[in-house]
Amino acid sequence: MTDLRSNEIDDELDGDTLHEECGVFGILGHPDAAALTALGLHALQHRGQEAAGMVTFDGRQFYSERRMGLVGDHYTDPATLAKLPGSMSIGHVRYSTTGETVLRNVQPLFAELQEGGIAIAHNGNFTNGLTLRRQIIADGAICQSTSDTEVVLHLIARSKNASSSDRFADAIAQVEGGYSMLALTRTKLIAARDPNGIRPLVMGELDGKPIFCSETCALDIIGAKFVRDVENGEIVICEIQPDGSISIDVRKPQNPRPERLCLFEYVYFARPDSVVGGRNVYVARKSMGQNLAKESPVEADVVVPVPDGGTPAAIGYAQESGIPFELGIIRNHYVGRTFIEPTQQIRAFGVKLKHSANRAMIEGKRVVLVDDSIVRGTTSVKIVQMIRDAGAREVHVRVASPMIFHPDFYGIDTPDRDKLLANQHVDLASMCRFIGADSLEFLSIDGLYRAVGGAPRDSQAPQFTDHYFTGDYPTRLLDQEGASNVRKLSVLASNG
């Protein structure tokens, strides 16, 4: 049973941070499939730290290992990898936004269907997942998890099509939202991306074998070649043939939509060394900082990033403004779940468990504090105070993204609307007073668009998914529209 008291201090540390739901990795036809998948998941660990899972197939049967915790906690053990034989594999790292954090929700999920076994892993969220779940349960289905991924398995099982590929295509045609998805059958590795391309998915190749993963950094770690992005609405079916060769069948949507990648991939989620949608993430984040310096200059002595997310933007701000860049905050990378009882005295340490002020770079100086985003603002309050306690004369906060006004329903764990900082204050001056800064400015939506795509936002046809800033959701929100009619999911106690 979870000790709620021992988690209070973790909420202090993590409650003001956006979390992405997960990352996926899959490979077909390689003798080291499990080991390569483990390495790929390790590279994607930033996308989810609660749990990791893998499913492999060796030509006779499927094997599954799903564990709570980090990839390195389990999948570096040769004994664990030995339980995952076979030349085809898919894997998943998870941060839960749909379904509670228990072992039964850890992906990939597996089911034995009429045409054989199938495993599925997906990154993102279905905006009609609860609606579909209610329908299939009413029709007699039995759900084993509270993950929306299980809905896809039921839809595949109910499809009247003959082949697993057609059943899969039939199933995902019924779901809405933002997702990238992998499926593994006895002969196939299938990849799919949502019609708007909200969540990223790339295709690679190693030793002539196809790979799919959430980001290019997972290809880099194993020395694989980047082939291309999976297009929005596209299904790619890779199949091992009787002679051992691999065929690739590509199915494109009949009525394609313009791609609208999630802007937060560039602001926060993707690793800086990844290339997302043809754009280097680090370069985009530096450009955000440069545009922020142009839009919101201030007289100061030093530019300090809030690590690690604010670092590229702070470098860009410093380069554009000519103000020296310094590491005025040092991050402790080894803070896990707290092991101490959070008494009031311990809780008062707050953000210092993760961040420490570098007094030598701050004392007596006017500081520009650059962060990638502000969600609730509670962490910003503590960091600004920490900088003041280290002797700063002035603290000017600059945020390399616009204000967040709206919650997300596509796989980002955001607070309720009324808990977002931008909705708790009447104006920027009130927000500034709340966090205790001398000044506070956010990057404009056009400044963000220019940094990522090179052009201002087209209000008639936005180039990216940006609803958290603008309220412009790219899909219907069926579960939200019918929230009062959707029964709350049951919670089964689990020791997983």
Side-chain angles (χ1 to χ4, degrees), residues 129-455:
L130 289 175
T131 303
L132 288 170
R133 175 184 289 268
R134 182 179 55 174
Q135 293 170 357
I136 63 176
I137 289 176
D139 290 340
I142 298 173
C143 291
Q144 303 275 337
S145 76
T146 56
S147 169
D148 57 353
T149 313
E150 188 176 10
V151 171
V152 179
L153 289 175
H154 283 283
L155 295 175
I156 292 172
R158 289 162 178 257
S159 174
K160 303 302 181 184
N161 290 303
S163 74
S164 57
S165 302
D166 291 338
R167 284 173 173 255
F168 179 84
D170 184 26
I172 65 167
Q174 299 175 61
V175 301
E176 300 182 29
Y179 59 84
S180 58
M181 189 179 304
L182 298 181
L184 188 71
T185 74
R186 291 174 297 179
T187 60
K188 301 172 185 175
L189 174 60
I190 306 173
R193 196 165 168 223
D194 69 83
N196 293 293
I198 297 171
R199 301 265 71 87
L201 188 64
V202 300
M203 183 177 183
E205 179 185 294
L206 180 66
D207 302 329
K209 311 303 181 184
I211 298 171
F212 297 94
C213 52
S214 294
E215 293 182 37
T216 57
C217 63
L219 299 175
D220 297 336
I221 197 173
I222 60 173
K225 173 187 174 184
F226 169 77
V227 176
R228 65 178 180 87
D229 289 306
V230 176
E231 296 178 9
N232 51 304
E234 186 178 41
I235 300 174
V236 183
I237 304 159
C238 303
E239 183 171 14
I240 297 179
Q241 302 299 313
D243 64 359
S245 64
I246 297 176
S247 64
I248 299 180
D249 176 29
V250 176
R251 302 185 184 183
K252 296 183 181 292
Q254 291 183 342
N255 300 302
R257 306 173 192 174
E259 182 185 62
R260 290 185 64 180
L261 254 168
C262 174
L263 267 178
F264 254 109
E265 293 289 345
Y266 298 101
V267 172
Y268 183 84
F269 294 130
R271 232 172 67 167
D273 54 333
S274 284
V275 175
V276 175
R279 307 169 185 89
N280 179 268
V281 174
Y282 177 79
V283 171
R285 289 177 186 167
K286 270 187 64 179
S287 296
M288 293 172 204
Q290 291 168 336
N291 289 348
L292 185 60
K294 294 174 185 175
E295 292 180 1
S296 303
V298 64
E299 289 189 9
D301 304 307
V302 64
V303 174
V304 171
V306 178
D308 290 321
T311 301
I315 292 172
Y317 194 103
Q319 290 179 349
E320 180 65 30
S321 66
I323 301 171
F325 169 91
E326 295 291 352
L327 293 178
I329 300 174
I330 306 302
R331 182 184 174 191
N332 179 2
H333 289 266
Y334 303 98
V335 176
R337 306 302 288 178
T338 54
F339 59 91
I340 48 181
E341 183 69 19
T343 62
Q344 186 57 45
Q345 182 180 3
I346 295 298
R347 193 177 292 111
F349 293 160
V351 76
K352 293 182 180 179
L353 286 173
K354 279 192 174 180
H355 299 103
S356 298
N358 186 3
R359 180 177 289 270
M361 296 296 105
I362 292 172
E363 190 168 20
K365 296 179 181 177
R366 298 168 297 175
V367 176
V368 180
L369 189 63
V370 179
D371 207 349
D372 53 32
S373 58
I374 294 181
V375 185
R376 295 192 304 174
T378 51
T379 299
S380 300
V381 170
K382 295 171 184 176
I383 289 180
V384 169
Q385 186 59 50
M386 182 175 69
I387 297 298
R388 290 200 185 281
D389 290 344
R393 286 168 51 203
E394 298 173 7
V395 182
H396 301 276
V397 175
R398 295 295 181 267
V399 185
S401 63
M403 290 184 235
I404 302 172
F405 289 98
H406 305 275
D408 179 81
F409 303 103
Y410 304 107
I412 302 174
D413 184 22
T414 48
D416 294 335
R417 184 183 176 120
D418 61 357
K419 291 185 173 65
L420 295 166
L421 178 70
N423 296 327
Q424 294 181 323
H425 298 270
V426 295
D427 54 25
L428 194 64
S430 176
M431 276 186 265
C432 183
R433 288 192 296 271
F434 172 75
I435 67 172
D438 291 283
S439 70
L440 169 66
E441 298 289 346
F442 291 79
L443 182 64
S444 69
I445 189 70
D446 283 343
L448 176 57
Y449 265 77
R450 289 191 184 97
V452 176

Side-chain angles (χ1 to χ4, degrees), residues 448-482:
L448 176 57
Y449 265 77
R450 289 191 184 97
V452 176
R457 184 180 192 268
D458 181 350
S459 60
Q460 301 303 309
Q463 307 95 303
F464 298 94
T465 290
D466 60 12
H467 51 277
Y468 19 75
F469 305 130
T470 65
D472 183 356
Y473 290 91
T475 73
R476 298 185 302 169
L477 304 175
L478 291 182
D479 288 346
Q480 298 304 311
E481 293 165 7

